[in-house]
């Protein structure tokens, strides 16, 4: 904004060093400054202090003063460009030339329309002539058989052979007399009939135009037009009567009654007074009854047939010619501005045969005359006449808007959008006016963001939502639905987890068609046809991540479906999806690009590892053992016949197969979630020393001693949960009496859950244990890393032991610390309630997350932890000595506090500080 005046002077051709006030005095045109009260509001204005914010009809903020200045700047820039010869100013003569060109274009369009109409007439005439000739011979044969020209006992093959011999022995005349008798007369009749009809139509059209241009009373003009219509019908009837001899002669030749030559009847055949003419016998009655007389003659019957056939083919066109003239004259009066005369012509045209176009034309005239109720009535009649035509809805909405009934007009537009077919220019125009009226009626704050934001920015916003949330917001409106369905970037992850009902296959098909090559992740659950959906996803989408939930028992069908998944990198078989150990090995063999594999064994088979193979790309492996073992494996009988329980064991090849088949594993998770009495015993040690890239290890097994753990020193995250429900104070002692060493110099995250865990055991995890030193990429010896997260569960500790533990050099940089379900052996437990938070506050100064659930912490301890520290998140659930007022005080200090009491006994209401 600081260069605004400088740029304004340059754009207006002034010196940048000239003062603005001086320039304004010289030009005698001071700069316009518009104050807030002087601005005309166009919509709703919001006042903030002395400034009034204005909005346009679509809810966008506007500033008229800025727009006026911008217009002035554009005019100045155009003047400068004109002076230097870059652009030329358009004169009024050029505008007139443009108008002439536009009129010429309109005239050319009308000429093309007339040519198109003539072409259609010529095409219909050609079809009328050529189509009967295609079946002329078969029609001739049928009529000759019906008239008895051939005897009934004569075989049909003999008739055909006789015609064929005549064709072979005779010349052109025989060919015509056998195949095309009467065809030439028929063609001459059609051509002459069309020419005479065209001449009569032109004469009648000219007469009706002259009659409409005369200044007559409406009743007289109506009578004359009716008389002209009757006269036109009589002329056409006279033409048909005059052509009767030619039609009869062609029909007689076709039936074999008249000779094939001459091809046309002589002139005397057409003269009524000639004794051998058609009229001499054609009008004689078939029966001698006096009542029927000439009405029952062959000529009358033939004439009636011609009239009926003509009326059935194009009678409607004849009857509508005068109506077209009336409509044409009414439009001419409308263009000239004589709306009353136009209404009279449209009234007479609608009186003959009402149509949507005529009703809309009359409604437009009433709209110009400001007779809005009559215009609305015509629009309603147009809707009732043809509900799928958008013309009536557009006219009714326009009239209602002019009558200031905007809500009714909006309902009319919405009803039209439901009735009109979703194709064509009419529907698009109806949708456009509906959107404009909706935006006018909506308040400025309810602006659709998709109509204002760029598509890329809207997609970035929708990417923050989950897949289920995107499907939910797609129901906001049809525009949002179409936008989300048309953006393939929003369908990269087909997440069908936790559905309320079974997912239809049609929905998955739409998702595949929308995402295509960008759909790389899928979570499938509760499908109507799981096999069909999975095969379609693998065939059409480059799946990289796949998760299956609640799909039941899977085996050979899953292997065959994933055989073509060449891009699959992550496979997760979660709850409700059951596989066996053999299926695990086959899946690893089929999915060659797999990097992450998670599955749950819920059957009674014993897990024996990932099999023999070479899975160098496999990096993450997570196995969960659930269910109960088979009774045959769980029980046996001793020598005296008693039932004896044999606990299951974990196969010795489990960890050996991990080292030999997947040497690049970075993360291993193995959880035994069997019931306590059915958990697998660990007989062989957990030997993972050959996995040089292993970083994360999560074990939940029946581990009795650290001697059963042989871990590589490169582990950075260790979670060790012993499922044995007994105290293990000698966890780091060998059976021979020595101490087991466990060296983890790279450890950064440690989670230990061993019943009655003591400080000495935790310090063993932090010690180096005499292991060889590790060097980095430059050859420098690395010092032991410092832990960032420490999670201790069921620990037996005193205040002195906790102080000594937290004083360990590797725990000085802890940011995440959990201490839950601890047992304190201090002499005065109430004193430890206030001392332990002080120890944590003193030793862990950089702590950001602290979980002290079920610990005997009080309000004083909360104040000690929160006040003056970097703590951001505190979890104090099930702390019975803590009052809710202390929790509220900590939240007021800006710390997120999770406080929930699961037992019936609530917290205290006192804060002792």
């Amino acid at each position: 904004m600081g260069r605004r005046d400088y740029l304004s002077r340059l754009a207006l051709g002034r010196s940048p060093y000239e003062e603005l006030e001086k320039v304004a005095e010289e030009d005698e045109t001071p700069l316009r400054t518009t104050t807030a009260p002087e601005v005309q509001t166009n919509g709703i204005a919001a006042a903030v202090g002395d400034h009034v914010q204005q909005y346009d009809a679509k809810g966008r903020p506007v500033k008229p003063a800025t727009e006026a200045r911008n217009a002035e700047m554009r005019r100045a820039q155009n003047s400068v460009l004109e002076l230097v010869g870059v652009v030329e100013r358009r004169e009024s003569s050029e505008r007139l030339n443009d108008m002439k060109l536009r009129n010429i274009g309109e005239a050319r369009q009308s000429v093309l329309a007339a040519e198109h109409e003539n072409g259609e007439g010529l095409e219909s005439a050609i079809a009328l002539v050529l189509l009967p000739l295609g079946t002329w011979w078969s029609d001739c044969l049928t009529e000759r058989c019906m008239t008895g020209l051939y005897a009934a006992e004569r075989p049909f093959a003999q008739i055909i052979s006789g015609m064929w011999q005549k064709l072979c022995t005779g010349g052109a005349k025989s060919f015509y007399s056998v195949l095309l008798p009467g065809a030439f007369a028929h063609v001459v009749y059609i051509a002459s009939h069309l020419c005479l009809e065209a001449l009569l139509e032109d004469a009648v059209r000219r007469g009706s135009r002259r009659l409409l241009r005369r200044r007559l009373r409406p009743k007289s003009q109506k009578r004359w037009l009716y008389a002209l219509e009757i006269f036109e019908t009589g002329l056409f009837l006279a033409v048909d009567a005059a052509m009767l001899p030619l039609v009869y002669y062609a029909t007689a030749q076709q039936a074999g009654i008249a000779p094939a030559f001459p091809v046309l009847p002589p002139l005397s055949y057409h003269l009524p007074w000639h004794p051998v003419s058609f009229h001499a016998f054609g009008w004689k009655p078939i029966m001698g009854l006096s009542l029927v007389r000439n009405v029952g003659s062959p000529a009358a019957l033939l004439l009636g047939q011609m009239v009926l056939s003509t009326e059935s083919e194009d009678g409607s066109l004849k009857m509508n010619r005068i109506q077209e003239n009336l409509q044409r004259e009414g439009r001419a009066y409308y263009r000239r501005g004589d709306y009353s005369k136009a209404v009279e012509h449209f009234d007479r045209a609608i009186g003959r045969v009402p149509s949507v176009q005529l009703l809309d034309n009359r409604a437009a005239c009433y709209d110009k005359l400001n007779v809005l109720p009559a215009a609305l009535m015509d629009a309603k009649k147009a809707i009732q006449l043809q509900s799928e035509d958008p013309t009536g809805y557009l006219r009714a909405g326009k009239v209602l808007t002019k009558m200031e009934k905007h809500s009714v007009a909006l309902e009319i537009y919405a009803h039209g959008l439901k009735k009109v077919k979703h194709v064509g220019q009419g529907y698009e125009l109806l949708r456009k006016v509906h959107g404009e009226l909706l935006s006018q009626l909506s308040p400025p704050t309810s602006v659709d963001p998709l109509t204002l934001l760029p598509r890329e920015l809207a997609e970035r916003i929708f990417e923050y939502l989950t897949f289920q949330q995107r499907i939910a917001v797609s129901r906001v409106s049809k525009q949002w639905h179409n936008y989300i369905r048309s953006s393939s970037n929003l369908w990269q992850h087909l997440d069908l987890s936790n559905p309320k009902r079974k997912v239809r296959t049609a929905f998955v098909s739409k998702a595949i068609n929308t995402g295509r090559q960008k759909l790389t992740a899928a979570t499938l659950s509760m499908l109507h046809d799981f096999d069909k959906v999975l095969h379609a996803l693998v065939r059409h989408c480059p799946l990289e991540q796949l998760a299956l939930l609640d799909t039941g028992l899977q085996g050979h069908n899953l292997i065959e479906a994933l055989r073509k998944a060449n891009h699959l990198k992550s496979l997760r078989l979660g709850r409700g999806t059951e596989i066996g150990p053999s299926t695990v090995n086959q899946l690893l063999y089929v999915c060659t690009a797999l990097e992450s594999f998670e599955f749950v064994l819920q059957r009674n088979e014993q897990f024996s590892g990932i099999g023999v193979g070479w899975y160098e790309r496999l990096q993450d492996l997570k196995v969960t053992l659930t269910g109960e073992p088979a009774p045959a494996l769980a029980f046996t009988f001793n020598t005296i016949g008693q039932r004896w329980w044999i606990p299951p064991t974990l196969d010795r090849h489990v960890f050996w197969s991990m080292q030999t088949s997947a040497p690049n594993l970075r993360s291993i998770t193995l959880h035994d979630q069997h019931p306590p009495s059915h958990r697998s015993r660990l007989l062989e040690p957990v030997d993972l020393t050959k996995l040089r890239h292993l970083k994360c290890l999560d074990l939940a097994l029946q581990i009795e001693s650290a001697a059963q753990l042989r871990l590589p020193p490169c582990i950075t995250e260790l979670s060790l949960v012993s499922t044995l429900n007994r105290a293990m104070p000698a966890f780091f002692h060998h059976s021979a009496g020595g101490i087991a060493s466990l060296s983890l110099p790279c450890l950064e995250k440690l989670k230990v859950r061993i019943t009655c865990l003591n400080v000495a055991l935790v310090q063993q995890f932090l010690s180096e244990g005499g292991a060889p030193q590790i060097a980095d990429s430059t050859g420098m010896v690395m010092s032991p890393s410092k832990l960032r997260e420490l999670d201790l569960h069921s620990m037996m500790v005193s205040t002195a032991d906790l102080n000594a533990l937290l004083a360990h050099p590797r725990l000085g940089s802890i940011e995440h610390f959990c201490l839950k379900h601890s047992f304190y052996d201090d002499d005065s437990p109430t004193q430890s309630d206030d001392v332990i938070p002080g120890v944590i506050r003193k030793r862990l100064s950089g702590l950001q997350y602290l979980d002290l659930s079920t610990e005997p912490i009080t309000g004083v301890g909360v104040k000690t932890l929160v006040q003056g520290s970097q703590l951001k998140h505190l979890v104090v659930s099930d702390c019975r000595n803590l009052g809710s007022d202390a929790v509220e005080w900590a939240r007021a200090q800006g710390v997120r506090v999770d406080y929930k009491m699961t037992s019936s006994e609530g917290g205290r209401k006192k804060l002792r500080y």
Side-chain angles (χ1 to χ4, degrees), residues 703-740:
I703 303 175
E704 300 178 357
S705 172
Q708 295 176 316
L709 299 176
R710 299 177 184 177
L711 308 180
C714 55
I715 291 180
T716 59
E717 300 180 14
L718 176 61
S719 176
L720 184 61
V721 177
S722 179
T723 57
L724 292 173
N725 295 325
R726 66 174 186 268
M728 292 181 293
F731 184 79
F732 279 91
H733 291 273
H734 281 296
S735 58
I739 298 177

Side-chain angles (χ1 to χ4, degrees), residues 20-33:
L20 197 61
E21 292 79 3
K22 182 178 179 181
V23 174
E25 293 175 359
E26 292 178 358
D27 294 346
E28 297 181 358
T29 56
L31 295 176
R32 297 177 3 179
T33 57

Side-chain angles (χ1 to χ4, degrees), residues 292-599:
V292 294
R293 295 187 62 80
N294 294 341
V295 179
S297 63
L301 295 176
L302 188 59
L303 181 61
Q305 180 188 1
M306 292 173 56
V307 171
L308 291 176
S309 62
T310 305
E311 289 295 328
S312 63
E313 292 176 359
D314 57 350
S316 59
L317 298 176
K318 295 180 181 179
M319 297 298 292
N320 290 335
R321 289 190 185 96
I322 298 178
Q323 185 183 22
E324 293 176 358
N325 295 332
L326 289 171
Q327 186 178 8
R328 192 180 298 108
E329 293 295 331
R331 289 178 177 177
Y333 280 117
Y334 181 85
R335 285 192 293 269
R336 290 196 293 267
D338 194 352
Y339 305 114
S340 300
K341 284 284 186 182
V343 168
E344 294 178 3
H345 285 77
F346 290 136
D347 285 340
R348 290 196 292 271
I350 292 173
R352 297 175 63 84
V353 180
S355 65
V356 174
Q357 194 63 38
L358 288 172
L359 291 170
D360 183 66
N361 292 337
R362 190 170 69 176
C365 296
Y366 283 136
D367 189 7
K368 293 294 184 180
L369 294 173
N370 205 21
V371 187
L372 299 181
L376 183 60
M377 185 63 64
D378 283 346
K380 290 182 178 179
K381 290 180 180 179
I383 295 174
Q384 295 172 0
L385 187 62
Q386 194 169 356
S387 60
E388 295 183 357
D389 195 332
T391 306
Y393 301 104
L394 292 171
R395 180 62 61 186
K398 184 177 181 181
V399 174
L400 288 170
T401 303
K402 197 171 183 178
M403 297 172 67
E404 297 184 355
K405 296 181 179 180
H406 302 285
S407 58
V408 182
L410 188 63
E411 293 179 0
I412 288 290
Y413 288 147
H415 184 70
L417 289 174
K418 295 179 181 178
K419 292 290 185 179
V420 179
K421 293 183 179 180
H422 296 181
V423 290
Q425 186 178 3
Y427 175 78
E428 295 298 330
L429 184 60
L430 188 62
R431 189 169 63 87
K432 179 181 178 182
V433 295
H434 176 267
E436 292 177 354
L437 184 59
L438 184 62
S439 61
Q440 291 177 7
L441 297 179
S442 302
T445 55
S446 62
V447 178
D448 190 355
L450 295 184
T451 60
L452 300 179
L453 296 176
R455 187 177 182 88
E456 296 80 6
L457 186 57
E459 285 187 0
R460 291 292 299 274
I461 294 175
F462 277 119
E463 286 176 358
Y464 284 95
L465 303 179
T466 62
F467 183 79
Q468 287 86 353
Q469 291 172 342
R470 293 171 195 163
I471 298 301
V473 301
S474 66
R475 302 187 184 98
V476 172
S477 64
K478 185 176 292 184
Q479 288 77 12
W480 282 44
H481 176 81
N482 296 335
Y483 179 85
I484 293 177
R485 285 298 177 91
S486 63
S487 179
S488 58
N489 293 329
L490 303 178
W491 295 77
Q492 296 181 8
H493 184 193
L494 180 62
D495 189 1
L496 304 180
S497 58
N498 301 321
K500 296 181 179 179
R501 63 182 68 90
K502 282 192 174 183
V503 182
R504 296 180 179 178
T505 309
F507 175 79
V508 182
S509 177
K510 290 181 181 179
I512 293 174
N513 293 331
T514 304
R516 283 293 178 181
Q517 296 301 319
K518 293 192 176 180
L519 201 160
T520 58
T523 302
L524 307 182
S525 176
M526 294 181 64
L527 297 169
H528 278 286
D529 193 343
F530 168 74
D531 294 338
K532 182 178 179 181
V533 169
L534 185 58
H535 278 279
L537 283 171
V538 173
R539 187 184 307 113
H540 299 289
C541 303
L543 279 183
E544 296 181 0
Q545 301 177 11
L546 178 62
L548 305 181
L549 306 174
D550 298 321
T551 58
L553 179 61
Q554 300 296 328
H556 183 70
N557 58 335
L558 179 62
I559 297 171
E560 292 299 324
L562 298 182
R563 191 177 296 276
K564 298 181 180 180
N566 301 325
H567 305 279
L568 190 62
K569 297 181 180 179
S570 175
L571 178 60
R572 182 169 68 91
L573 308 179
R575 53 172 173 78
T577 300
E578 303 178 11
I579 61 172
S582 59
T583 308
V584 173
N585 303 335
Q586 295 181 28
L587 285 175
L588 288 173
Y589 179 76
V590 169
C591 303
T592 56
L594 202 61
E595 297 179 359
S596 177
F597 190 23
E598 176 183 349
F599 58 93

